Amino acid sequence: MMGYDGTGYKIYGAGHSLGGATFMNTMETSNVARDGISKVKLYNSGASPIFAERRVGKKKKEVLDNKVINYRTKNDVVSLFLIPNTRYGKTISKETTATRVAGLLPFGAGIGLMTATALQAHSLENWYNKQGETKEQRRERQAQRKE
């Protein structure tokens, strides 16, 4: 999160896995966080069927729909329950290369590959590279170098 000292700085939040689940809980339960944080990006947030019945009110949902983006990698078992349990915000899902390849194999043949890629699918590197750039930022930087 960025600092806020009352001079106009905006606060942004990000969380991965347990951090994402914790941030979701904070945004749902804290008026201070919900009102003070401008935007939240959650990556493969931990989700549980235990919280499937948990609801946010209509007013909270309107606020959170404009602030929260859930990024989820397909085949990620940690965020699997996020799909039916996303109560607010925008969800962006993507496939990893290994998941696409395993899907092309005959039934049963891709099971070992799918199992091996399950943890890789949870990695934050599916959204950011080791330099902390998004893939779009990296493409822009590379295009500027070519000019």
Side-chain angles (χ1 to χ4, degrees), residues 72-113:
R72 183 181 181 280
T73 309
K74 293 179 182 177
N75 198 37
D76 173 37
V77 294
V78 176
S79 62
L80 179 65
F81 289 99
L82 182 66
I83 299 167
N85 297 328
T86 301
R87 297 173 294 278
Y88 52 82
K90 178 180 179 182
T91 298
I92 298 171
S93 294
K94 74 179 218 173
E95 248 181 341
T96 62
T97 303
T99 303
R100 280 192 298 275
V101 170
L104 297 173
L105 297 173
F107 180 74
I111 293 175
L113 181 58

Side-chain angles (χ1 to χ4, degrees), residues 108-143:
I111 293 175
L113 181 58
M114 293 294 275
T115 304
T117 61
L119 285 177
Q120 187 274 334
H122 188 64
S123 172
L124 193 53
E125 287 183 12
N126 289 304
W127 300 98
Y128 286 88
N129 66 16
K130 291 179 182 173
Q131 287 75 37
E133 301 173 303
T134 63
K135 291 181 180 180
E136 290 78 25
Q137 289 170 329
R138 185 176 68 240
R139 280 188 207 113
E140 286 176 24
R141 181 175 46 81
Q142 290 169 342

Side-chain angles (χ1 to χ4, degrees), residues 1-2 10-16 19 23 27 36-43 67-69 71:
M1 286 185 6
M2 307 298 274
K10 290 185 178 183
I11 300 174
Y12 297 93
H16 172 254
F23 231 124
M27 293 298 282
I37 297 174
S38 299
K39 198 61 107 175
V40 176
K41 293 183 177 185
L42 306 173
Y43 299 89
K67 292 187 177 194
V68 177
I69 302 173
Y71 294 92

